[in-house]
């Protein structure tokens, strides 16, 4: 599954279930309690649905959404199963997570799409461009490709990306590419750059896309 970026402290923190009223957990452990007073499964390691149930209550809405969308994208759970988890969650949890997409290809894409939609942009995912194939996002006249941690590494992937850039260039379009590091390590600066790009080239890109889609 896709896992959101975690800093050094988060990577060394273990999430554990402790029955209500039990003694405090040792250091580097974050305790959870379930809705009942006992562990709901026979195995000491949570199943995926139970782990996600806890994650939805423990993590931010963005991080929980990344995990839920990952479960669907990797076909570990079908949308109806994810919806049942949401239906069983408290209203505050559902509100924090918001709507989910089945079109994201990575946790990085989930993050970018959710941020853009919160800013009021209409975002289309997996947009087909003649000669270039499917592109991750189209928003405000700008095509975007979002690199997950493993999705665009190596010489073959680099060459494929450059070929796609050439083909979109034939239509007068450019792809704005965001790396994993830009989405997770320098996210605030990246947000400013994305908004500036949409403001500067958005109108031109919209006209080009409208002509392309009309042809």
């Amino acid at each position: 599954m896709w896992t959101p970026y975690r800093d050094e402290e988060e990577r060394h923190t273990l999430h554990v279930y402790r029955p209500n009223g039990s003694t405090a957990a040792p250091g580097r452990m974050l305790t959870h309690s379930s809705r009942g007073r006992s562990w709901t499964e026979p195995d000491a390691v949570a199943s995926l649905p139970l782990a996600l149930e806890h994650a939805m209550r423990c993590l931010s809405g963005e991080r929980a959404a990344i995990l839920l969308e990952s479960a669907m994208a990797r076909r570990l759970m079908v949308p109806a199963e994810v919806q049942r988890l949401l239906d069983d969650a408290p209203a505050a949890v559902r509100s924090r997570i918001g709507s989910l997409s089945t079109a994201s290809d990575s946790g990085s894409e989930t993050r970018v799409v959710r941020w853009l939609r919160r800013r009021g942009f209409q975002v289309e995912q997996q947009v087909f461009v003649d000669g270039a194939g499917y592109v991750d996002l189209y928003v405000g006249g700008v095509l975007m490709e979002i690199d997950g941690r493993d999705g665009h590494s190596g010489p073959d992937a680099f060459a494929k990306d450059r070929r796609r850039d050439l083909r979109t260039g034939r239509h007068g379009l450019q792809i704005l590419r965001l790396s994993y590091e830009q989405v997770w390590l320098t996210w605030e600066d990246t947000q400013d750059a994305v908004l500036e790009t949409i403001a500067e080239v958005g109108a031109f890109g919209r006209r080009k896309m409208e002509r392309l889609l009309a042809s």
Side-chain angles (χ1 to χ4, degrees):
M1 289 181 62
W2 312 327
T3 52
Y5 173 81
R6 295 174 294 167
D7 60 26
E8 190 70 18
E9 181 178 351
E10 290 175 313
R11 286 197 295 271
H12 288 89
T13 299
L14 181 65
H15 292 239
V16 298
Y17 167 78
R18 303 280 283 185
N20 295 335
S22 66
T23 58
R28 289 189 177 262
M29 287 188 180
L30 181 62
T31 58
H32 291 214
S33 61
S34 66
R35 284 171 291 178
R37 298 185 62 85
S38 62
W39 188 246
T40 58
E41 296 181 342
D43 199 316
V45 178
S47 67
L48 178 58
L50 183 58
L52 288 173
E53 177 188 325
H54 279 259
M56 289 163 57
R57 295 162 181 264
C58 173
L59 302 179
S60 67
E62 175 187 90
R63 292 187 171 206
I66 287 172
L67 294 175
L68 293 169
E69 290 190 5
S70 173
M72 292 187 288
R74 295 294 173 88
R75 299 184 179 180
L76 301 172
M77 298 180 72
V78 298
E81 292 173 313
V82 171
Q83 186 60 52
R84 281 197 291 273
L85 287 177
L86 290 169
D87 291 341
D88 291 341
V93 171
R94 295 197 301 272
S95 177
R96 186 168 70 243
I97 295 172
S99 61
L100 298 175
S101 170
T102 58
S104 295
D105 281 337
S106 69
S108 298
E109 186 174 335
T110 296
R111 175 173 235 201
V112 174
V113 169
R114 287 172 62 87
W115 169 71
L116 286 166
R117 286 176 174 159
R118 285 198 305 272
R119 298 284 309 209
F121 290 102
Q122 181 177 345
V123 183
E124 297 179 50
Q125 294 182 260
Q126 305 307 318
V127 178
F128 184 80
V129 177
D130 185 38
Y134 287 94
V135 178
D136 287 340
L137 308 180
Y138 172 68
V139 54
V142 176
L143 292 168
M144 298 177 65
E145 281 278 280
I146 316 299
D147 294 355
R149 175 167 252 168
D150 303 316
H152 293 257
S153 59
D156 291 343
F158 182 85
K160 180 180 178 182
D161 288 343
R162 299 294 80 75
R163 289 194 297 269
R164 177 176 287 185
D165 290 346
L166 280 174
R167 289 166 183 162
T168 55
R170 284 184 354 208
H171 303 296
L173 298 167
Q174 289 184 324
I175 296 178
L176 177 62
R177 296 189 179 277
L178 300 184
S179 68
Y180 179 88
E181 289 74 16
Q182 288 173 313
V183 174
W184 293 103
L185 303 184
T186 59
W187 181 221
E188 290 187 5
D189 291 339
T190 301
Q191 292 177 58
D192 292 339
V194 170
L195 293 176
E196 289 170 3
T197 301
I198 292 174
E200 290 173 4
V201 306
F204 173 82
R206 284 192 295 273
R207 289 195 297 271
K208 287 290 185 179
M209 283 295 292
E210 287 169 2
R211 293 171 190 162
L212 181 61
L213 294 174
S215 61

